């Protein structure tokens, strides 16, 4: 076990992907002041990390997996690869990271003739992968507060649910001088997701429209007011989300050459982070080869698929108008991180990796979600989107039956219980274009109504068995259940 806090400190810089300008990290920046391009954060001292060989890095990270040191328990187990400028006192840990990789149920793998596992990122504290990014972003904010002596910081984000829940949770934990505001599209967030920022005490504001409308508002606020933007335009969030790639590599013994990753594409922050993390692992020879990587998009919100579905010489990026999607976190028609994706795909392929995007239908997403959960999984609709993506890639001849796939389930199914209930009870709103499979329907069935219970109890009392009335009801109800289930009584 290595309980020491790392001695290494890097030199992090904002790097514009459009014009190449570099800026120091002593202030919050979201877009390049020179050209408005988006940033990635880079460690100008990264080459120093190459002085340690891949085997030594693997040994170090494996040893840290057993540490009790709080700052290294979560995503910062991989400190040198993420934000190696933070001091131990600034690092937050609320239990994020270390989410399990769960192999697809045997019957499901057999039925689908596919080898796959889910990484359950819904087991993060606020029940989504966004906690990875928030742990890093808020740790950086704490460092800035300490550095500048700020007495008030207002954090703000646009969200379809998961980002707001994570931002509110971490903001509430940090407390003064941080206050949290979240901006949601009115009527586009599930009740379960809405309850999370409200429960954490954040100021929740709604506007008519979709996520893209909310994003434009918070971008304007971040440019004209002193607020800390917490969407994936914030490149510190991308750093935190890289931990998904590191954990996946560690789970598979640092050998990903025969693996295929499927990641849902919403605002494109997660697939950016996964690519960036995998590239760092490869640069340091921690992994011998890159896995194949697929982004997945619903046909109701598919600008990245449209871009990569064209021949390279004909590609032109165009935002799309979204339609309602059960994969709500992916219902984004103009992903902020698309320029990052485009830049990193070039690097990924140059390093020997393979990248593609798969488009799936809303029907396929819900069918996959319900089918997986009927086999003992707890995947969200984004996880269902990834399973649908794997099946589509198989149908398109892009993935072989013997390839092992890792599917990103970004949140917990309980956040999307309404969609599941719509499917199971065959009450899906028409705008989603989903027709529930009746074979998967599952609704509660009443054993007996309240009036029948009262009749049974009354008969027992009339027979002079007041004390036995509850037992009479229990016996009658048990008999009704046994009949419904086709049970035979035990032999005497």
């Amino acid at each position: 076990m290595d309980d020491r806090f790392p001695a290494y400190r890097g030199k992090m810089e904002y790097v514009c992907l459009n014009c190449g300008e570099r800026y120091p990290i002593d202030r919050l920046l979201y877009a390049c002041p020179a050209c408005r391009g988006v940033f990635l954060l880079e460690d100008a001292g990264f080459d120093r990390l190459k002085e340690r060989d891949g085997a030594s890095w693997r040994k170090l990270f494996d040893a840290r997996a057993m540490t009790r040191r709080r700052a290294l328990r979560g995503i910062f187990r991989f400190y040198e690869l993420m934000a190696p400028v933070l001091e131990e006192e600034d690092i937050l840990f609320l239990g994020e990271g270390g989410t399990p990789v769960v192999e697809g149920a045997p019957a499901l793998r057999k039925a689908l003739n596919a080898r796959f596992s889910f990484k359950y990122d819904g087991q993060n504290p606020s029940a989504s992968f966004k906690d990875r990014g928030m742990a890093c972003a808020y740790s950086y904010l704490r460092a800035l507060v300490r550095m500048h002596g700020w007495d008030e910081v207002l954090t703000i984000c646009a969200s379809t649910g998961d980002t707001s829940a994570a931002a509110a949770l971490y903001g509430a934990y940090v407390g003064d001088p941080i206050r949290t505001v979240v901006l949601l599209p009115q009527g586009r967030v599930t009740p379960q997701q809405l309850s999370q920022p409200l429960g954490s005490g954040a100021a929740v504001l709604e506007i008519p429209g979709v996520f893209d409308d909310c994003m434009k508002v918070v971008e304007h606020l971040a440019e004209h007011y002193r607020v800390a933007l917490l969407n994936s335009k914030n490149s510190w969030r991308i750093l935190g989300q890289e931990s998904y790639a590191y954990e996946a590599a560690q789970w598979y013994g640092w050998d990903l050459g025969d693996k295929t990753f499927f990641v849902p594409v919403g605002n494109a922050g997660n697939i950016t982070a996964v690519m960036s993390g995998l590239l760092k692992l490869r640069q340091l020879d921690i992994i011998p080869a890159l896995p194949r990587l697929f982004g997945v998009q619903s046909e109701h919100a598919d600008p990245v698929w449209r871009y990569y579905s064209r021949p390279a010489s004909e590609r032109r990026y165009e935002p799309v108008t979204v339609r309602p999607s059960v994969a709500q976190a992916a219902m984004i028609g103009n992903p902020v991180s698309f320029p990052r994706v485009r830049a990193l795909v070039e690097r990924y392929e140059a390093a020997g990796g393979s990248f593609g995007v798969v488009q799936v239908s809303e029907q396929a997403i819900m069918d996959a979600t319900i089918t997986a959960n009927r086999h003992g999984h707890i995947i969200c609709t984004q996880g269902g989107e990834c399973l649908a993506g794997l099946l589509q890639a198989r149908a398109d001849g892009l993935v072989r039956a013997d390839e092992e796939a890792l599917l990103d389930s970004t949140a917990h199914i309980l956040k999307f219980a309404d969609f599941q209930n719509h499917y199971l009870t065959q009450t899906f709103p028409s705008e989603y274009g989903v027709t529930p499979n009746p074979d998967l329907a599952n609704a509660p069935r009443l054993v007996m109504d309240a009036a029948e219970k009262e009749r049974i109890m009354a008969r027992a009392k009339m027979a002079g068995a007041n004390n036995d009335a509850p037992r009479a009801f229990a016996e009658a109800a048990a008999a009704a259940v046994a009949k419904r289930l086709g049970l035979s009584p035990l032999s005497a």
Side-chain angles (χ1 to χ4, degrees), residues 8 10 43-52 57 283-284:
Y8 174 77
D43 179 4
F46 185 81
D47 283 348
R48 288 171 52 199
L49 301 179
K50 296 178 182 178
E51 295 171 5
R52 184 193 291 260
W57 280 117
Q283 287 173 298
L284 297 177

Side-chain angles (χ1 to χ4, degrees), residues 142-196:
R142 293 176 86 181
L144 281 187
V145 167
R146 183 169 53 80
M147 181 191 309
H148 297 298
W150 291 339
D151 57 7
E152 183 179 56
V153 179
L154 182 69
T155 67
I156 191 166
C157 67
S159 181
T160 54
D162 290 339
T163 301
S164 63
L169 177 69
Y170 282 78
Y173 186 90
V174 173
D176 290 337
I178 288 176
R179 293 191 299 124
T180 305
V181 177
V182 301
L183 197 61
L184 307 177
Q186 185 181 25
R188 304 280 183 172
V189 177
T190 70
Q192 296 83 3
Q193 289 173 303
L194 178 59
S195 72
Q196 291 187 277

Side-chain angles (χ1 to χ4, degrees), residues 1 57 59 176 341 351 399-400:
M1 182 190 305
W57 280 117
K59 184 178 179 180
D176 290 337
V341 173
V399 175
R400 301 186 312 273

